[in-house]
Amino acid sequence: MNKRNKKVSVGIVGVGHLGKHHVKHLTAMDNVECVGFYDIDEARATVISDKYNVKSYDSLEALLIDCDAVTIVTPTDTHFNVASDCLTAGKHVFIEKPITKSVAEAEQLLTLANTNKVLIQVGHIERLNPALVPLKNYSISPKYIEIQRLAPYDVRGTDVPVVLDKMIHDIDILLFLVNSEVESIDANGISILTDSIDIANARIRFKNGTIANLTSSRVAQDHVRKTKMFQQDLYITIDFLLGLTEIYRVLDPDEPDPDAIQDVPFHYGGKTKRIVYEKPDLPSFDALKAELENFTNSVKGSATPIVDGQAGKNALELATNIHDLILEDLH
Ligand code: NAD
């Protein structure tokens, strides 16, 4: 049978807060055989097995015998060991973000995947946020980007500093938007509730002149996930949480804009121009489901990972550099 028509057999490692959603989506996909999952918490395993009518395996080794690909949804400090076992067994892996706790570990996983001729995909889910979809219709070359990601305290994710848990989502998007190397970083942060950094700010200058200012907190009162991009004649604001993308453009008097909701002339220096406001309709889809479809289709060879292992490592590398600078600044 053609590889593309064959069902991909997938197993899940870790069925906690996020892993249960992997179970829900993978058990419902037509082109996937979800063989089951492995979780070290037996009580949790029983609940999820009963709820989704899916097999719970007693060990990772037993799960790996039955599948071609694995999604790893365990705490970050376990990603390296679990993924190493899966890759060594010749399984394709989808690893939730961040890829690993350290860049050296991420490099080892990339080498293992290469040796075993299997793929790594990383769960930087914001890359599939429908709010990013309209960007493909514009020529994006921001001069300045302002990014905020704030969340109330939740013990989940505190196994790593806020830069590796929250800011890394925005770092991945930033590296996708700005096609240039980092020139310099200025960063600071503080610990509030945990032993590691809970609030962080980084100002990144790229070699092409783009500046990005990122703030992340896991001790905020409310959730905020906003990105604002400024460039010549174009301002884009994205609310990842609400799913809202708004675009302001400066146009000449006779330039058409069929998507304009508001069209306001202004006068400056003897010239007349217009500011037009657009609010594109966003497609409606579940980002996690789309991400897992991208993974299973990539395993089948009919797609390529939207965020591959290298992109996951690049995001981790920049996050680690930022975090190291914050620690240096504190000492
Ligand atoms: P969680 O603590 O709710 O669940 C983790 C599960 O893994 C638990 O059930 C635990 O028993 C199990 N587990 C731990 N070690 C294991 C091992 N060695 N083998 C098998 N099972 C093991 O955590 P969570 O919030 O679901 O987060 C899991 C991962 O997903 C983390 O890496 C986190 O950063 C990531 N995450 C990503 C997003 C996103 O937006 N992409 C959101 C939340 C979490």
Side-chain angles (χ1 to χ4, degrees), residues 249-305:
R249 299 203 287 156
V250 175
L251 297 183
D252 285 328
D254 52 358
E255 254 182 284
D257 186 347
D259 299 323
I261 296 173
Q262 283 174 14
D263 195 325
V264 181
F266 73 96
H267 312 284
Y268 182 73
K271 286 188 188 159
T272 299
K273 289 206 168 199
R274 294 146 54 219
I275 298 179
V276 298
Y277 168 67
E278 301 167 10
K279 195 167 91 173
D281 287 335
L282 302 184
S284 173
F285 58 84
D286 184 297
L288 181 61
K289 181 168 176 244
E291 197 178 32
L292 293 170
E293 280 171 351
N294 176 230
F295 175 57
T296 53
N297 287 334
S298 299
V299 170
K300 287 169 91 172
S302 59
T304 48

Side-chain angles (χ1 to χ4, degrees), residues 235-256:
Y235 165 53
I236 300 180
T237 160
I238 300 173
D239 190 322
F240 287 95
L241 205 57
L242 293 182
L244 176 65
T245 304
E246 295 171 288
I247 292 152
Y248 298 81
R249 299 203 287 156
V250 175
L251 297 183
D252 285 328
D254 52 358
E255 254 182 284

Side-chain angles (χ1 to χ4, degrees), residues 13-19 38-41 44 73-76 78-79 82 96-98 123 125 156 165 169:
V13 189
V15 289
H17 175 77
L18 186 57
Y38 167 59
D39 195 298
I40 47 165
D41 181 339
R44 175 84 189 158
V73 206
T74 56
T76 301
T78 66
H79 286 182
V82 175
E96 270 304 336
K97 52 59 51 181
I125 195 168
R156 285 182 307 103
D165 186 41
H169 282 292

Side-chain angles (χ1 to χ4, degrees), residues 155-295:
V155 72
R156 285 182 307 103
T158 54
D159 57 330
V160 289
V162 69
V163 179
L164 266 68
D165 186 41
K166 302 255 177 276
M167 192 184 277
I168 197 160
H169 282 292
D170 298 311
I171 290 172
D172 171 64
I173 291 173
L174 187 63
L175 292 176
F176 161 68
L177 290 173
V178 183
N179 191 15
S180 177
E181 282 175 45
V182 171
E183 184 175 287
S184 63
I185 305 169
D186 195 6
N188 65 5
I190 39 172
S191 303
I192 306 273
L193 298 180
T194 75
D195 289 342
S196 66
I197 300 297
D198 295 317
I199 300 180
N201 173 264
R203 184 179 162 92
I204 303 171
R205 176 184 284 276
F206 289 88
K207 286 193 175 155
N208 68 358
T210 302
I211 302 273
N213 186 48
L214 299 90
T215 303
S216 300
S217 168
R218 58 182 173 199
V219 290
Q221 193 151 6
D222 299 307
H223 288 277
V224 175
R225 288 197 246 147
K226 287 186 179 168
T227 292
K228 296 173 181 177
M229 284 185 269
F230 303 82
Q231 68 185 63
Q232 186 73 49
D233 295 343
L234 179 65
Y235 165 53
I236 300 180
T237 160
I238 300 173
D239 190 322
F240 287 95
L241 205 57
L242 293 182
L244 176 65
T245 304
E246 295 171 288
I247 292 152
Y248 298 81
R249 299 203 287 156
V250 175
L251 297 183
D252 285 328
D254 52 358
E255 254 182 284
D257 186 347
D259 299 323
I261 296 173
Q262 283 174 14
D263 195 325
V264 181
F266 73 96
H267 312 284
Y268 182 73
K271 286 188 188 159
T272 299
K273 289 206 168 199
R274 294 146 54 219
I275 298 179
V276 298
Y277 168 67
E278 301 167 10
K279 195 167 91 173
D281 287 335
L282 302 184
S284 173
F285 58 84
D286 184 297
L288 181 61
K289 181 168 176 244
E291 197 178 32
L292 293 170
E293 280 171 351
N294 176 230
F295 175 57

